[in-house]
Amino acid sequence: MRKLALAMGISAAFLAFPAVASTASDENRTIAYVTSWGFTDADPAPILAESKVDTYLLSFARWDAQGNITSSDDIATPMPYDPWWIAGGYLGWTHMKYDHPERKILAAFGGQTYEDMWSYMDTPERREAIAQSLAELLKTPYPVYKRGLKESEIDGDCQFWNWNGSCNTDVYQKAGSVYLDGIDFDFEKVARLTEKENENLLLLAQRLRELIGKDKVISLTTYHVGADPVECANNTVVDNCSYIEDKRSDHHGEVLPLLEKSKDLFDFFNVMAYDAGPNFRWQVAMENYARAIGDKSKVVLGATINSQWGPVSNFIESKENNLARAEWQAANGYGGFFVWTFGANTQNMPLSEQVAYVNDMREAADNAAPSVELPPSGIVVSPQAVTLTLPTEYFNGNNRVVIDRQKGLLGNENLGYTQSGKAWGYRYSGALPSVLTSGITHTAEGMTEIAFPAFISVGDKLFFRSVDPNLTNSVLADFGSVTVTQSMLDNGTFLPREK
C-alpha cells in the first residue's frame, strides 16, 4: 500500500512545501502517577503489572528545611518488616518493580500539598543537604515482601517462624530488594512561582545530576500554562495563549526561566495539560513547551481520568478526548503522555478499570506511528477551505481522495472527494448528503491542486485517505489525520499524523 507524507500549512493560497514526514518520538513514554492512598486491593501489583505504563511516579514525597525526606503514607520510604501487613501502595510498586525490573519508578516530590518545600532551597547549604538526601535515596534498597515464598526464595534469613521451628512462608517474607530509578520534581504552587524559585530548583537539579550522573532519571512536572508567553496574563492577548478565559491564570510563563536553562538537564518534561476547563487549548500549551525546550520529544502531555477543575465547574474529560490526546502527541512527535492517576479516583473507578483505560490510551498512541516520507504534497487549511495538493498521478481515475471531518456527537462530515482529477465538495447532514460546491483543480509541474470550501474551526479532526471508487469502504492509502488548533489557523506550518 502506498502511503503519503502530508506537509500541512496555513494560508489562503497554496504554499509549496518539501516532503516532510511527521515523525513519532522514539521516546513515546506512558507514565502514570501512583498515589499512596486509594488502593482497595490487598496487593495491587498483579493489576499494575497488566498496565502498559513504563514509568510510575510515586505520589508524593517532600523534604524539610534540613533536607530530611518523608513521603505520603511512606510510599517512598523503605518499610520495616511486618509479617501480617504491608501498605497496599508500597506493596504494589515494589512487587511490580521486582517482577518487572525494566519498568521505572520515580519518587515525585512536591505537589500543591507539599508546596512549602520549595521555600527550603533558598541557600547553597540547604540545596546541598537536599541534593545529598535525594542522591542517598536513589541508593537506598527497598525491601520486597511477599507471601507464599519457598524457603529457597527468601532473601536472607527467615524472619517469622512457626511454633514448631519451621519457617512460616504463609506470612510476608523478604523476597529481595528494589531501587528507585529517579526523581520527579512536581514544581507547583497555588501562588505564582517566582524567578528566584526557578533559579533555586535549577541549581538543586544541577547539583543532583552531578551526584547521580546519567544512570538515574530526573524529570520536571509543571502547570499547563507554565510555558505560555507572560503577556497571556492580559485577557486581550490571545496569540500563543493556551488559557484564554476572561479571568486569566496567575501562572502564565512562570517556568520559562527554568525551561530555557534546563533543556539538557531533565530527561523529560511533564505538562499538566488539565485542570484548566473544557476550552483549554492544550495543543497550544504543548507547542509552547516544545518551543521553550527546543525538543518536543522530551515534552510529555498530561491527562487525568479524575474529575478536574474548570473555570465554571469541575468536569470529567471524556475517554474519547483522552484517547485523541494520546494519539495526537504521538503523531506530532512529542514524548508520550502521563495520567493522573493510578490509585485514588474521584469516580470510584476500580484499579483494573484505570489500568484498562490507560492501556487504551497507549494503544491509541502506538497506532499513531507515522509512515515514511513520500512525494511532495501539501494541505492548506484556512477558516473557509481545505486545499489539497497531490502528485497528478493520484488523479488517474483509479482512486478517490477523500477528506472527512469528525464532528463528535454530530457524526462525521464528508468535506469532499476527488475522482478522475475533479473535486466535488459535499456537506453531510445526518444521512442525507447535499452538494455544497464543486472544487477547483489545476495542474502545475506534475501536481494537482483542489480546493474544498468548508468552514474549519478549532477542534475539527480532519482525515485524509484514498479509496477505490468502485468498491465500498476500500481504503487504498491512509494519508493521516490532524486535529485543528488555533495556532494552526494563526501561525503557520504543522504536520498531520501519518499511519
Side-chain angles (χ1 to χ4, degrees), residues 314-381:
N314 287 4
F315 71 103
I316 301 170
E317 189 67 84
S318 71
K319 183 175 181 180
E320 179 184 16
N321 285 348
N322 276 336
L323 293 177
R325 285 178 171 223
E327 178 185 8
W328 178 89
Q329 65 77 26
N332 287 277
Y334 286 90
F337 68 90
F338 81 82
V339 172
W340 175 264
T341 176
F342 284 161
N345 186 270
T346 56
Q347 312 311 306
N348 296 318
M349 186 187 300
L351 180 60
S352 59
E353 293 182 18
Q354 298 171 29
V355 167
Y357 190 131
V358 175
N359 285 352
D360 288 343
M361 293 178 67
R362 174 58 184 262
E363 183 177 355
D366 287 343
N367 289 339
S371 73
V372 297
E373 179 178 320
L374 279 178
S377 59
I379 290 178
V380 177
V381 177

Side-chain angles (χ1 to χ4, degrees), residues 271-414:
V271 181
M272 293 187 285
Y274 50 86
D275 280 334
N279 298 322
F280 178 59
R281 305 197 298 177
W282 50 270
Q283 299 99 325
V284 176
M286 293 294 285
E287 291 165 358
N288 289 338
Y289 270 90
R291 188 178 303 111
I293 295 163
D295 182 357
K296 64 167 59 176
S297 72
K298 296 178 72 172
V299 181
V300 178
L301 173 64
T304 179
I305 58 177
N306 286 273
S307 177
Q308 59 179 297
W309 177 89
V312 177
S313 63
N314 287 4
F315 71 103
I316 301 170
E317 189 67 84
S318 71
K319 183 175 181 180
E320 179 184 16
N321 285 348
N322 276 336
L323 293 177
R325 285 178 171 223
E327 178 185 8
W328 178 89
Q329 65 77 26
N332 287 277
Y334 286 90
F337 68 90
F338 81 82
V339 172
W340 175 264
T341 176
F342 284 161
N345 186 270
T346 56
Q347 312 311 306
N348 296 318
M349 186 187 300
L351 180 60
S352 59
E353 293 182 18
Q354 298 171 29
V355 167
Y357 190 131
V358 175
N359 285 352
D360 288 343
M361 293 178 67
R362 174 58 184 262
E363 183 177 355
D366 287 343
N367 289 339
S371 73
V372 297
E373 179 178 320
L374 279 178
S377 59
I379 290 178
V380 177
V381 177
S382 72
Q384 292 81 34
V386 179
T387 302
L388 173 66
T389 300
L390 291 169
T392 303
E393 63 186 87
Y394 281 87
F395 304 101
N396 55 16
N398 296 322
N399 62 58
R400 274 184 191 164
V401 177
V402 180
I403 303 177
D404 287 321
R405 172 166 56 189
Q406 191 177 60
K407 299 286 286 184
L409 296 177
L410 299 179
N412 291 325
E413 179 181 42
N414 182 247

Side-chain angles (χ1 to χ4, degrees), residues 118-124 127 187 189 192-204 254-255 257-258 261:
W118 305 119
S119 66
Y120 302 143
M121 309 179 295
D122 56 339
T123 68
R127 288 193 295 271
F187 193 37
K189 288 171 47 180
R192 183 181 179 85
L193 292 164
T194 66
E195 287 196 28
K196 183 61 176 175
E197 287 167 331
N198 275 252
E199 184 67 19
N200 288 341
L201 181 56
L202 176 65
L203 292 170
L204 173 62
E254 68 176 356
V255 292
L258 175 59
K261 297 176 182 177

Side-chain angles (χ1 to χ4, degrees), residues 36 58 60 69-80 87 89-90 93 114 142:
S36 66
L58 305 182
F60 285 101
I69 290 174
T70 56
S71 61
S72 173
D73 300 313
D74 290 333
I75 190 171
T77 305
M79 185 159 285
Y90 180 92
W93 80 260
Y114 293 153
Y142 287 77

